[in-house]
């Protein structure tokens, strides 16, 4: 869950911050932060006006592919699945209980992780 699938993110020097983010059913925002520590990888997506300027943490396992030429991150989740995920809290999103809740949620919402 907390690592990219093989072949998705092979170049650790690639900075994906500010890349556009696409759910399976359309654009949801941009990458605001990317954590690349093995076993703890995730992206924080700023959804801008789509969900009233909120942010969402997405485990690396939800990333389907990254296109460096188009500067896009493609997710294996729908907008509704992302919107219904456990809420982002700037003070706790790095904590183990939140990550466990988030991992459980995304593990139940389908897709290959």
């Amino acid at each position: 869950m907390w690592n990219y699938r093989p072949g998705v993110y092979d170049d650790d020097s690639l900075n994906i911050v500010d890349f556009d983010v696409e759910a399976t059913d359309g654009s949801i925002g941009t990458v605001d932060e990317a954590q690349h520590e093995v076993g703890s990888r995730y992206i924080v997506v700023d959804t801008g006006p789509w969900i009233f300027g909120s942010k969402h943490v997405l485990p690396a396992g939800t990333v389907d592919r990254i296109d460096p030429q188009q500067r896009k991150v493609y997710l294996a989740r729908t907008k509704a699945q992302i919107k219904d995920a456990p809420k982002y809290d700037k003070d706790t999103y790095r904590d183990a209980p939140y990550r466990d809740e988030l991992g459980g949620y995304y593990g139940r919402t389908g897709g290959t992780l």
Side-chain angles (χ1 to χ4, degrees):
M1 172 71 60
W2 298 101
N3 285 307
Y4 292 99
R5 300 173 201 182
V8 170
Y9 188 82
D10 295 328
D11 181 0
D12 287 337
S13 68
L14 178 64
N15 181 4
I16 60 173
V17 172
D18 293 327
F19 275 33
D20 292 328
V21 180
E22 296 279 330
T24 58
D25 54 352
S27 177
I28 64 161
T30 59
V31 177
D32 188 61
E33 177 185 338
Q35 168 56 258
H36 300 297
E37 184 177 323
V38 175
S40 300
R41 294 176 174 181
Y42 61 84
I43 60 174
V44 177
V45 177
D46 183 341
T47 59
W50 176 61
I51 308 179
F52 307 111
S54 66
K55 293 184 181 183
H56 290 268
V57 177
L58 292 141
T62 64
V63 176
D64 189 45
R65 67 186 172 96
I66 297 171
D67 186 328
Q69 286 74 36
Q70 290 188 346
R71 297 182 50 81
K72 287 190 179 185
V73 173
Y74 293 88
L75 303 175
R77 294 297 185 273
T78 65
K79 290 178 177 183
Q81 289 171 323
I82 295 163
K83 183 178 180 182
D84 293 342
K87 300 303 176 210
Y88 170 89
D89 180 317
K90 68 179 178 69
D91 297 322
T92 62
Y93 78 98
R94 290 185 178 111
D95 296 346
Y98 173 75
R99 289 172 45 100
D100 291 345
E101 180 184 11
L102 194 64
Y105 171 79
Y106 279 112
R108 291 188 306 273
T109 60
T112 303
L113 294 178

